[in-house]
Amino acid sequence: MSLTLSMDFQYATTIEKLWSALTDSAKLGKWVANIHTGEAMENNFKPEVGHQFQFRTQPSEYWDGIIDGEVLTVDAYDKLSYTWNSGGMKHTVTWTLQDAGNGKVNLHLEQAGITNEQALHGAKYGWSKWCGELEKLVA
């Protein structure tokens, strides 16, 4: 069974500013944080197709604190996708940006390859929290 998480977020910002927050390693570190501690995750992300990267945080009794990924698609200001490997599960995360007019940008998230309902709910919780932090960053 393969499930896909699909979420939309609207931000009062520019596409350029939102794209930068999705692709700049230092900015990613400000909104992609450990869900339990709030501590920013170190990362070596680069928006280059084929680039392999990691997000790292304090491990816990349930998780090693590492997310491995590989950049699959970079279509500046429009679409970004990468693999998201964590806890023995491999997903594909795709972001699509669209100008919604009136100074707003729609950010669509799809996370494909989720194997069970518990992981789907966990992903939804995590992205909701992170995208709330993203909103603060791009405001």
Side-chain angles (χ1 to χ4, degrees), residues 8-11 13-15 18 77-79 95-101 104-108:
D8 284 281
F9 304 91
Q10 270 206 352
Y11 299 107
T13 190
T14 64
I15 279 186
L18 187 54
Y77 309 111
D78 183 40
K79 188 180 218 175
W95 299 102
T96 307
L97 294 78
Q98 184 176 21
D99 188 335
K104 295 191 189 257
V105 178
N106 189 71
L107 180 63
H108 178 74

Side-chain angles (χ1 to χ4, degrees), residues 2-136:
S2 181
L3 303 169
T4 299
L5 174 65
S6 182
M7 300 175 78
D8 284 281
F9 304 91
Q10 270 206 352
Y11 299 107
T13 190
T14 64
I15 279 186
E16 293 81 9
K17 202 170 183 182
L18 187 54
W19 179 258
S20 180
L22 292 172
T23 59
D24 180 277
S25 177
K27 290 176 184 166
L28 276 167
K30 292 180 180 178
W31 65 274
V32 178
N34 182 306
I35 295 294
H36 304 291
T37 66
E39 182 182 318
M41 284 198 218
E42 295 177 20
N43 72 86
N44 63 335
F45 186 87
K46 290 181 187 173
E48 300 168 1
V49 173
H51 177 70
Q52 295 185 5
F53 62 91
Q54 280 191 335
F55 282 92
R56 299 181 76 87
T57 189
Q58 281 293 111
S60 72
E61 61 183 293
Y62 307 106
W63 179 49
D64 66 5
I66 299 170
I67 299 165
D68 289 302
E70 180 178 347
V71 178
L72 302 173
T73 306
V74 179
D75 187 357
Y77 309 111
D78 183 40
K79 188 180 218 175
L80 174 70
S81 71
Y82 42 81
T83 59
W84 186 266
N85 308 324
S86 179
M89 291 182 269
K90 183 175 181 177
H91 305 153
T92 300
V93 172
T94 303
W95 299 102
T96 307
L97 294 78
Q98 184 176 21
D99 188 335
N102 297 325
K104 295 191 189 257
V105 178
N106 189 71
L107 180 63
H108 178 74
L109 163 69
E110 277 195 12
Q111 184 169 351
I114 298 172
T115 55
N116 61 64
E117 288 288 332
Q118 182 180 355
L120 180 72
H121 293 298
K124 185 174 184 178
Y125 173 79
W127 288 117
S128 294
K129 189 164 181 152
W130 286 341
C131 288
E133 294 301 312
L134 175 58
E135 184 173 25
K136 295 175 192 172

